[in-house]
Amino acid sequence: MVRIGGFLAGLAFVSALLVAFLMPRDAAVVTAAHEFHREPKEISYSFDNPVWGKYDRQQLQRGFQVYKEVCSACHSMKLVAFRDLEEIGFTKPEVKAIAKQWSTEVPTINDKTGEPTTRKALPSDYFPSPFANETAARAGNNNALPPDLSTIAKSREGGAHYIHSLVTGYADQAGYKNEEGEELLKKFPDAKTPPGLHFNPYFANLNIAMPPPLAAEGQVTYADGTKATIDQMGTDVAAFLMWAAEPKLENRHRTGIAVFLFLLIATMLAYGSYQTIWRDKKH
């Protein structure tokens, strides 16, 4: 009896898997995402070299400006403090001014009344979230939760290249083709982007809740006079987010070079010692 029950339970489980596998709508969506998804664009960054790579401070400052003026309205960076900006070339007075002028104030407690309140940010504060909590964040973004960007460049395959491709890669779904020239909506009519979402071939399932963040050239005015094209802004903000996710990259590279040189010298000394000690022992 137990064997029969086990057999029937197994049969039901296998049948459920088979039905789920053969569902045409789900299969079409997965296939569309697989066939029309694009890999990140290959662009050149100064920090890409695994040995000599280093950050371009001017680029990082431009990227911070893009984050501040475009991204910070929705995305937090709760692991980055204002004083960390000194590492990318800002002076202490500049950091103090940036913190004081930040659009979102820091939540705190009133010493006199004990009631929750807010205050201007200090260099020691971390970048404040633009929303009070997750509920408020979802309410302001069509129920989508904007991810924290502190480590986004390390938590997404492709890193800075993926971020650059994503923020600059929005496209018109109508007439969009794959490398073979096939049109997405002609091959997969059910794959049309739902209302409230936006088509982006660099996103995993092709449809993303975030509207195009870089909508037009000149969206920011760079302090160093660099022309703010969409590609330039995407390149710069991706570099800044890479620094935020791995601020010690240059130190790691320097340490690696020092260790390599130490091991090389130690190997040469060890070989020289071996030759000296065993020179008269060989037969």
Side-chain angles (χ1 to χ4, degrees):
M1 192 68 181
V2 175
R3 291 182 179 178
I4 296 176
F7 173 77
L8 293 176
L11 182 61
F13 179 73
V14 172
S15 301
L17 288 178
L18 185 62
V19 170
F21 179 76
L22 295 177
M23 286 291 284
R25 183 177 178 182
D26 290 344
V29 172
V30 172
T31 304
H34 178 266
E35 289 194 18
F36 289 86
H37 174 71
R38 289 185 178 178
E39 295 300 318
K41 305 171 188 176
E42 285 297 329
I43 57 176
S44 177
Y45 278 109
S46 61
F47 50 79
D48 278 340
N49 190 294
V51 178
W52 309 110
K54 60 181 181 179
Y55 292 118
D56 179 345
R57 263 52 183 179
Q58 203 69 26
Q59 182 179 58
L60 296 184
Q61 291 185 26
R62 293 196 303 267
F64 167 70
Q65 188 176 348
V66 176
Y67 167 74
K68 177 185 175 183
E69 298 184 19
V70 179
C71 310
S72 66
C74 296
H75 295 276
S76 61
M77 292 189 74
K78 61 185 180 182
L79 300 181
V80 180
F82 287 102
R83 62 188 174 193
D84 294 335
L85 296 177
E86 293 180 29
E87 297 180 17
I88 65 174
F90 288 106
T91 63
K92 289 184 182 295
E94 286 175 332
V95 170
K96 187 175 181 180
I98 290 171
K100 186 176 181 180
Q101 297 167 6
W102 200 258
S103 58
T104 306
E105 294 191 339
V106 177
T108 186
I109 300 295
N110 189 304
D111 293 335
K112 297 180 180 179
T113 65
E115 296 294 327
T117 185
T118 59
R119 60 168 173 79
K120 295 291 185 180
L122 300 173
S124 57
D125 290 319
Y126 291 89
F127 291 179
S129 173
F131 302 103
N133 49 49
E134 180 178 334
T135 302
R138 290 186 181 277
N141 291 278
N142 196 26
N143 202 38
L145 181 64
D148 181 85
L149 299 183
S150 302
T151 59
I152 195 78
K154 297 294 289 183
S155 61
R156 299 292 187 273
E157 184 178 0
H161 301 271
Y162 167 75
I163 294 171
H164 168 268
S165 300
L166 184 73
V167 299
T168 63
Y170 288 80
D172 185 359
Q173 192 180 37
Y176 178 77
K177 300 178 181 180
N178 60 11
E179 295 180 355
E180 287 72 33
E182 300 173 305
E183 289 194 19
L184 170 63
L185 294 181
K186 286 185 178 180
K187 188 171 184 179
F188 302 104
D190 292 338
K192 187 174 181 180
T193 298
L197 299 180
H198 306 271
F199 180 72
N200 191 319
Y202 296 98
F203 195 62
N205 65 2
L206 307 181
N207 302 312
I208 185 172
M210 179 177 68
L214 305 176
E217 293 189 3
Q219 194 168 340
V220 302
T221 302
Y222 282 136
D224 64 359
T226 301
K227 186 177 181 180
T229 63
I230 291 178
D231 185 74
Q232 183 69 59
M233 291 185 289
T235 301
D236 293 340
V237 75
F240 171 71
L241 294 178
M242 183 64 191
W243 166 81
E246 194 169 7
K248 303 302 182 183
L249 176 141
E250 293 173 332
N251 292 340
R252 180 165 56 80
H253 286 179
R254 284 193 290 267
T255 301
I257 293 173
V259 170
F260 174 78
L261 292 176
F262 171 79
L263 293 175
L264 179 63
I265 294 172
T267 300
M268 294 172 62
L269 292 174
Y271 180 74
S273 299
Y274 167 79
Q275 293 287 6
T276 300
I277 294 172
W278 291 95
R279 180 183 303 161
D280 300 328
K281 305 297 181 180
K282 295 181 180 179
H283 297 286

